[in-house]
Amino acid sequence: MTTNIPDHDLTALIARHRRAVHVHCYRMLGSYSDAEDLVQETALRAWTARERYDPATGEIGLGRWLYRIATNACLDFLKSAPRRVAAQSASFNEVAWLQPYPDRQLDEEAVAKETIALGYLALIQLLPAQQRAVYLCRELLGWSAAETAELLDVSVAAANSALQRARETMAKHAGPIAPSAPTAAERAVLAAFIDAHQRRDTDAAFALLREDIRATMPPAPALFVGRDAIRPLLARAFESGMGEWRLVEAWANRQPAAVSYLRAPGDSKFRAFKLDVLRIADDRVAEITTFEPRDVDAFGLPEVLP
């Protein structure tokens, strides 16, 4: 089949679906930067295979065509660089490749918190690649068993079996579903978190934590559980020898987050040092996931504060 639309028009159509395809790749891979690469790969493959696109299918058909290409590109990527998480846990310290996703790049209506939160992303990584593809296509994209089977070149029975196993794994490890919209409590705790850290107030920061707080630092395998395990980390970060802190609000994965800038002794500038993504429960910080300050520009923030 030969496309009846000019190449430049097809390029514009593909660009319109870029963000949705990016989120799909991010869910498949758990990594923002890898999703960026796979979106480019998807566009390249789509361009190469453009004669197979039927413009009569319209926007819906184009979206399905691109999702098909993107899913196969992700599966090829995972075959070449397999990633495994212990089957009994979805702890972030076991998902070394996990990266945050800037809320400012998410479609408010299309991406709910329960399908983009860090906990969901870590949980998805428990699934083998093909089960992951089946689960996302069926549960989030709304594809039929026949469409999913055709995508993966398997029987409908095999696709249904993969979906059942994926659902069992997800249900076994799933936590509570949080509201999609930021709550007043989340905003208040984030503001208090930023204030305590900028004042280097260990007691104030400690008071914000739940007793069963968990802290992880992907890609490092470290896992800290409980307030007693966290307090030494806070005290060390707030030592005067570390320098001066400035924190800027930044929402990620529909969760409150803050980019920390540090002006080290002898330096005249505040430089991006880390990104903390918080999970709030019962008006306290239940989890802190600390990331390296990569891709801060994707959050609309500079690497060095003006």
Side-chain angles (χ1 to χ4, degrees):
M1 178 188 309
T2 301
T3 179
N4 295 320
I5 60 176
D7 288 348
H8 66 273
D9 286 348
L10 181 59
T11 300
L13 286 172
I14 292 173
R16 274 214 301 271
H17 288 263
R18 184 185 191 283
R19 184 51 52 200
V21 171
H22 191 283
V23 170
H24 179 65
C25 292
Y26 176 68
R27 289 188 177 118
M28 279 289 296
L29 305 176
S31 165
Y32 179 89
S33 57
D34 286 341
E36 282 281 297
D37 294 339
L38 266 295
V39 167
Q40 297 301 322
E41 174 66 17
T42 297
L44 177 61
R45 291 188 183 194
W47 181 257
T48 302
R50 62 190 182 278
E51 292 187 355
R52 284 181 249 163
Y53 166 61
D54 181 4
T57 60
E59 285 283 320
I60 294 177
L62 175 64
R64 288 180 177 271
W65 183 60
L66 291 174
Y67 277 127
R68 179 187 299 273
I69 294 171
T71 302
N72 280 314
C74 288
L75 289 172
D76 289 344
F77 175 84
L78 291 170
K79 287 177 185 176
S80 65
R83 298 162 163 179
R84 301 194 182 279
V85 181
Q88 73 277 8
S89 174
S91 177
F92 301 155
N93 70 307
E94 294 179 0
V95 190
W97 56 91
L98 188 68
Q99 294 177 349
Y101 201 104
D103 272 22
R104 67 195 294 266
Q105 295 185 10
L106 293 173
D107 186 308
E108 288 293 333
E109 295 181 359
V111 184
K113 176 184 278 188
E114 59 265 28
T115 67
I116 200 69
L118 288 178
Y120 180 87
L121 264 293
L123 191 53
I124 280 287
Q125 304 306 303
L126 289 175
L127 302 177
Q130 185 160 295
Q131 282 187 33
R132 197 180 312 168
V134 169
Y135 186 84
L136 292 176
C137 287
R138 293 294 308 277
E139 296 293 304
L140 298 189
L141 299 184
W143 287 24
S144 69
E147 290 168 328
T148 305
E150 182 184 0
L151 164 67
L152 299 174
D153 194 23
V154 298
S155 67
V156 171
N160 283 334
S161 177
L163 176 62
Q164 181 61 33
R165 293 195 301 274
R167 283 173 172 169
E168 290 172 355
T169 299
M170 296 292 286
K172 179 180 178 181
H173 297 279
I177 296 177
S180 287
T183 65
E186 286 179 323
R187 295 188 184 280
V189 172
L190 177 59
F193 180 88
I194 290 174
D195 177 65
H197 282 68
Q198 290 189 152
R199 292 188 293 106
R200 297 190 302 204
D201 189 333
T202 304
D203 291 337
F206 192 70
L208 293 171
L209 309 180
R210 279 175 49 125
E211 289 288 347
D212 58 351
I213 175 87
R214 292 166 57 91
T216 50
M217 305 173 182
L223 170 63
F224 302 89
V225 181
R227 298 173 85 196
D228 290 342
I230 302 297
R231 184 158 198 141
L233 300 179
L234 291 174
R236 191 157 55 245
F238 295 164
E239 289 175 354
S240 59
M242 277 288 290
E244 188 178 357
W245 294 101
R246 290 289 181 271
L247 275 69
V248 179
E249 179 180 313
W251 291 74
N253 299 77
R254 299 282 191 240
Q255 297 174 241
V259 175
S260 294
Y261 292 84
L262 176 66
R263 183 167 68 183
D267 196 350
S268 62
K269 299 181 183 296
F270 285 92
R271 304 181 189 277
F273 186 83
K274 64 187 175 77
L275 168 67
D276 290 316
V277 181
L278 312 180
R279 180 170 64 84
I280 310 299
D282 301 323
D283 298 344
R284 290 288 184 272
V285 180
E287 193 155 18
I288 303 174
T289 311
T290 300
F291 296 97
E292 297 174 352
R294 299 173 57 183
D295 301 313
V296 291
D297 59 320
F299 289 84
L301 297 173
E303 293 186 6
V304 178
L305 284 181

